[in-house]
Amino acid sequence: MGMLIREKLEQWEKEYLSPYASLSMKSKGRKREEEQCDIRPVYQRDRDRILHSKSFRRLKDKTQVFLTPEGDHYRTRLTHTLEVSQNARTIAKALRLNEDLVEAIALGHDLGHTPFGHAGERALNEVCPYGFCHSEQSVRTVEALEKNGWGLNLTDEVKDGIRNHQTKGVPYTLEGRIVRLSDKIAYIHHDMDDAIRGGILKDSDVPKEIGDVIGYTTRERLDHFIHDIVTASYGKGDIMMSPAVAAAMWKLREFMFERVYENKEAKNQESKAEELMASLYHYYLKHLKKLPEYLKVRMEQYGDAPEVAVCDYIGAMTDRFAIAQYGELFIPKSWHY
């Protein structure tokens, strides 16, 4: 009976989904072969593995844009991930593409992000001789770090979508390309919403040349972006925006960099976060015995460089845990108050 359920779902995909969709039955598969689930197709199974992973749970305590904001309604890396997933699923459903694959990629795309957002990523990229990129680290997280070094053994399509979700990447599935665009839409939308909440921006600050094309409120813009992607991509073998909306999105992104992402008032704590990350990196590089056991095993058995192992450990920390570690290692107990 169970086997019939998965096969029926796979057959439904074949009959209902767009000819451009990634079918579960045609997946390139996993690095380690394993028996199929009797109920769930492969991408649904990947989504579940990501959802139950430790790295996914840690996203709730990782910075999105604003470090330690005063208020309960600012986004975290977890709420960003959920918003990306929701946008992507809406688009995929309208285009009759594979929602399970879209959701798995969306939920996993930032699993390798550092504490303190891009400030943490910059710090590790500067101090580590091998560099540090969160999209590559997200793949490393699901391949080699989760489950004490065993990894989640995800399908190739999911890992490709995670690896290529940034601007420089081009996923080979349309589902991956949906997530790539949904990520940008989500962060532009919610970072502006948070900036307005924080008093850094007002809706009226959006330049007229942008507002006239995609709207003057965060709600209008998000709605416009999603409708435009669906309309421009419908029945085509690619995921795209209309030229006018794409141009407006890039102008809005530039506006956000100028007014928010590089705003000294909004980002005045970032240098402290970078110094904290660099200090932890140098400490653990000198005290490798204090790393978790599975990372020491990887150094011994797989030849992982100590610098990489240290980045694996620090990069996986939540903001709260990194701050606690710093306090324990560098601040005398008598100074605590």
Side-chain angles (χ1 to χ4, degrees):
M1 179 64 184
M3 197 64 173
L4 287 174
I5 292 174
R6 174 176 56 78
E7 289 180 345
K8 282 180 179 177
L9 289 172
E10 290 174 342
Q11 190 60 33
W12 177 87
E13 287 183 0
K14 186 178 178 182
E15 292 171 2
Y16 174 76
L17 294 184
S18 159
Y20 301 109
S22 300
L23 301 182
S24 300
M25 64 170 65
K26 292 189 176 178
S27 169
K28 292 184 179 180
R30 310 178 188 280
K31 188 175 279 188
R32 297 190 306 272
E33 282 192 32
E34 55 183 70
E35 193 176 336
Q36 286 259 42
C37 177
D38 57 353
I39 294 174
R40 297 167 298 165
V42 288
Y43 303 136
Q44 184 183 347
R45 201 174 184 191
D46 282 2
R47 186 274 315 272
D48 294 349
R49 289 179 182 187
I50 291 167
L51 195 65
H52 291 289
S53 68
K54 288 180 181 177
S55 48
F56 183 79
R57 292 195 292 277
R58 287 196 296 268
L59 294 176
K60 71 181 186 296
D61 281 324
K62 292 196 179 195
T63 291
Q64 173 59 26
V65 169
F66 297 97
L67 292 173
T68 58
E70 302 207 357
D72 294 333
H73 301 127
Y74 291 87
R75 269 69 170 195
T76 65
R77 189 62 57 178
L78 179 61
T79 57
H80 160 72
T81 293
L82 295 175
E83 289 183 39
V84 173
S85 176
Q86 187 55 52
N87 293 345
R89 285 186 60 200
T90 299
I91 295 166
K93 192 164 195 169
L95 297 176
R96 289 189 298 123
L97 296 175
N98 197 314
E99 277 188 78
D100 288 336
L101 176 55
V102 155
E103 190 172 20
I105 295 169
L107 294 180
H109 83 281
D110 270 354
L111 291 181
H113 229 303
T114 58
F116 313 118
H118 289 286
E121 182 177 15
R122 276 196 307 274
L124 291 186
N125 188 48
E126 285 174 14
V127 295
C128 179
Y130 299 96
F132 189 94
C133 170
H134 81 268
S135 55
E136 291 294 337
Q137 190 67 14
S138 294
V139 176
R140 181 167 170 77
T141 299
V142 299
E143 274 194 326
L145 303 180
E146 266 294 335
K147 296 179 76 173
N148 289 323
W150 280 98
L152 302 179
N153 198 29
L154 304 180
T155 55
D156 193 76
E157 292 80 5
V158 173
K159 290 188 292 185
D160 170 76
I162 291 172
R163 178 179 283 111
N164 291 299
H165 77 268
Q166 291 181 275
T167 303
K168 61 187 177 183
V170 182
Y172 66 74
T173 66
L174 296 199
E175 289 82 0
R177 294 178 196 183
I178 286 176
V179 174
R180 179 175 172 271
L181 262 184
S182 296
D183 182 38
K184 290 165 187 55
I185 292 168
Y187 73 65
I188 289 171
H189 167 257
H190 62 52
D191 293 350
M192 181 167 281
D193 188 43
D194 282 351
I196 291 168
R197 180 174 292 107
I200 295 164
L201 284 179
K202 300 187 296 292
D203 274 326
S204 57
D205 290 335
V206 176
K208 189 174 186 300
E209 59 178 322
I210 297 173
D212 284 350
V213 178
I214 55 176
Y216 283 94
T217 68
T218 53
R219 180 180 177 179
E220 285 175 358
R221 285 187 291 271
L222 181 62
D223 188 65
H224 200 100
F225 279 141
I226 290 174
H227 276 81
D228 185 75
I229 292 170
V230 171
T231 303
S233 306
Y234 200 86
K236 299 188 177 78
D238 201 0
I239 303 300
M240 61 190 79
M241 288 178 165
S242 66
V245 171
M249 185 189 79
W250 287 109
K251 285 177 186 171
L252 184 59
R253 189 171 180 267
E254 287 171 13
F255 170 78
M256 288 294 290
F257 267 93
E258 181 186 323
R259 297 291 298 272
V260 179
Y261 301 139
E262 295 170 359
N263 180 304
K264 290 181 180 177
E265 182 185 343
K267 314 296 274 180
N268 63 356
Q269 300 294 309
E270 285 198 348
S271 60
K272 297 176 186 177
E274 289 176 27
E275 285 187 28
L276 182 152
M277 291 291 284
S279 299
L280 290 178
Y281 173 86
H282 292 302
Y283 176 85
Y284 282 107
L285 201 53
K286 291 178 184 175
H287 301 86
L288 294 173
K289 288 184 178 179
K290 294 194 175 185
L291 292 178
E293 198 60 36
Y294 76 93
L295 292 178
K296 289 187 276 188
V297 169
R298 286 199 59 86
M299 283 191 285
E300 292 165 11
Q301 294 186 3
Y302 299 99
D304 285 1
E307 296 89 347
V308 171
V310 170
C311 283
D312 287 339
Y313 184 47
I314 300 171
M317 292 179 179
T318 61
D319 293 22
R320 192 188 318 168
F321 186 73
I323 291 167
Q325 288 295 100
Y326 183 87
E328 188 177 315
L329 295 173
F330 298 109
I331 300 176
K333 285 186 169 53
S334 61
W335 292 5
H336 286 269
Y337 61 91

